[in-house]
Amino acid sequence: MERKEKLIELTNVSQVFGTSSDSLHVIQNIDLSIYQQEFVCVVGPSGCGKSTLLKMIAGFLTPTLGECHMSGELITGPDKRRGVVFQSPTLYPWLTVEANVAYGLKIGRLPKKEQEERVNYYLTEVGLLEFKKRYPFELSGGMKQRVAIGRTLVNHPELILMDEPFSALDAITRVGMQEMLRKIWKEKEQTIFMITHDIEEALKLGTRILVMSKNPGVIISEFETNYTEKISLNKTYHPEEDQDFQKDKLKLFELIS
Ligand code: ADP
Ligand code: MG
């Protein structure tokens, strides 16, 4: 993949929790750049600092040392240019699907007609247009997660940050969601940074895989992949039947365990 413009730059970033006498070095000296239109997938053992890394990029956490920049600007807090999707969606239970998705646009005072158009567009993308008048309690887990993704995309963030967004879903729903995300990523030329504990998911979606290790939390390996391109370009291509895919899977498994 040709390198586009640099969107995110982390320089010598560390995160230390606790006091000086009782401190936990969660992230240690990470340097990382994310380029436009990349789909970066992060894998690593539980507790190695994946979520902490995502929260620093999102601007929810300030690094103890080092700096995070977006398009050359220091990240000092959350910003609507960075949309975040967590594992368990927190929708407003008193709002319909449509109103949940429109929420950010309403706050941003986008004209009504544009709000409606955008909301309908993204509800179609996530396959929920016919459910727009429903309330969260009427939806399955997968549908709620799709609302959460639609609600993030509708604001046109430059970067989408996702923390294990599909891990609470059953296997079949998860595959459908992966396809939807790949399609949106291709169509909208989005930049995505996604954490997953599912090695196959990382290989099937990512254009680059980062592998993190625990104590200290560092990136121990990273490589580019193109299975996601192959899957979207060729309907008869099945990564499971590809020896390289199986080799990469084994390599990742060994790196993590
Ligand atoms: P991962 O997402 O890879 O499972 P996390 O980034 O959530 O890991 O957490 C990494 C480590 O940092 C864990 O040991 C966790 O308990 C600790 N940790 C995370 N957030 C905080 C916090 N706000 N205060 C103290 N310790 C934290
Ligand atoms: Mg986590």
Side-chain angles (χ1 to χ4, degrees):
M1 193 170 123
E2 64 174 303
R3 277 273 145 106
K4 302 277 159 87
E5 226 168 292
K6 194 183 281 186
L7 193 60
I8 294 289
E9 184 164 36
L10 271 58
T11 39
N12 205 22
V13 164
S14 296
Q15 185 65 251
V16 185
F17 291 122
T19 58
S20 55
S21 58
D22 180 22
S23 62
L24 183 64
H25 290 254
V26 175
I27 297 287
Q28 201 164 67
N29 307 104
I30 284 189
D31 287 310
L32 171 68
S33 296
I34 302 170
Y35 296 84
Q36 272 169 14
Q37 296 176 25
E38 271 197 299
F39 195 144
V40 178
C41 287
V42 186
V43 295
S46 179
C48 72
K50 302 181 295 296
S51 296
T52 302
L53 183 65
L54 181 139
K55 285 174 196 164
M56 290 192 288
I57 299 172
F60 298 150
L61 271 177
T62 307
T64 312
L65 287 169
E67 287 178 347
C68 305
H69 287 88
M70 180 165 186
S71 305
E73 238 175 81
L74 187 67
I75 295 173
T76 55
D79 189 292
K80 64 179 182 337
R81 288 187 296 160
R82 298 181 292 275
V84 186
V85 178
F86 290 107
Q87 183 179 344
S88 320
T90 44
L91 305 175
Y92 296 116
W94 62 89
L95 295 179
T96 60
V97 164
E98 179 181 43
N100 264 287
V101 174
Y103 195 80
L105 301 179
K106 215 171 160 182
I107 300 286
R109 298 185 179 200
L110 196 75
K112 256 257 146 59
K113 193 167 153 10
E114 252 177 84
Q115 274 188 37
E116 259 178 51
E117 280 170 9
R118 263 215 234 174
V119 168
N120 286 339
Y121 177 87
Y122 284 101
L123 283 176
T124 307
E125 284 286 303
V126 298
L128 287 175
L129 190 62
E130 59 190 301
F131 298 96
K132 66 188 217 178
K133 299 294 178 198
R134 301 281 184 95
Y135 286 87
F137 77 88
E138 300 176 283
L139 308 176
S140 69
M143 290 159 93
K144 279 186 219 166
Q145 192 58 294
R146 280 189 275 161
V147 177
I149 292 170
R151 184 182 56 180
T152 298
L153 294 175
V154 81
N155 300 315
H156 290 173
E158 288 171 54
L159 175 68
I160 304 169
L161 299 160
M162 305 178 110
D163 195 347
E164 307 204 19
F166 307 144
S167 56
L169 307 176
D170 63 83
I172 294 172
T173 310
R174 196 184 314 153
V175 170
M177 300 284 285
Q178 289 167 356
E179 281 167 10
M180 176 210 71
L181 188 62
R182 183 186 299 112
K183 180 170 164 279
I184 291 173
W185 168 72
K186 284 287 281 183
E187 277 177 10
K188 308 302 276 182
E189 305 193 326
Q190 278 283 355
T191 310
I192 302 181
F193 179 90
M194 184 176 94
I195 296 169
T196 174
H197 63 250
D198 181 341
I199 289 172
E200 282 205 13
E201 179 168 274
L203 288 170
K204 286 178 182 173
L205 289 177
T207 57
R208 180 152 57 117
I209 315 284
L210 304 181
V211 185
M212 286 181 67
S213 77
K214 206 173 173 171
N215 302 325
V218 292
I219 296 168
I220 50 164
S221 176
E222 70 168 287
F223 59 93
E224 296 196 354
T225 64
N226 63 351
Y227 303 110
T228 194
E229 295 281 356
K230 285 186 184 165
I231 294 166
S232 60
L233 291 175
N234 182 355
K235 284 230 178 326
T236 62
Y237 174 76
H238 299 292
E240 291 82 1
E241 297 162 3
D242 184 340
Q243 290 213 345
D244 290 336
F245 183 83
Q246 295 300 346
K247 270 189 216 153
D248 279 342
K249 215 176 114 177
L250 194 65
K251 180 170 89 182
L252 278 178
F253 186 77
E254 281 168 354
L255 278 167
I256 293 169
S257 47

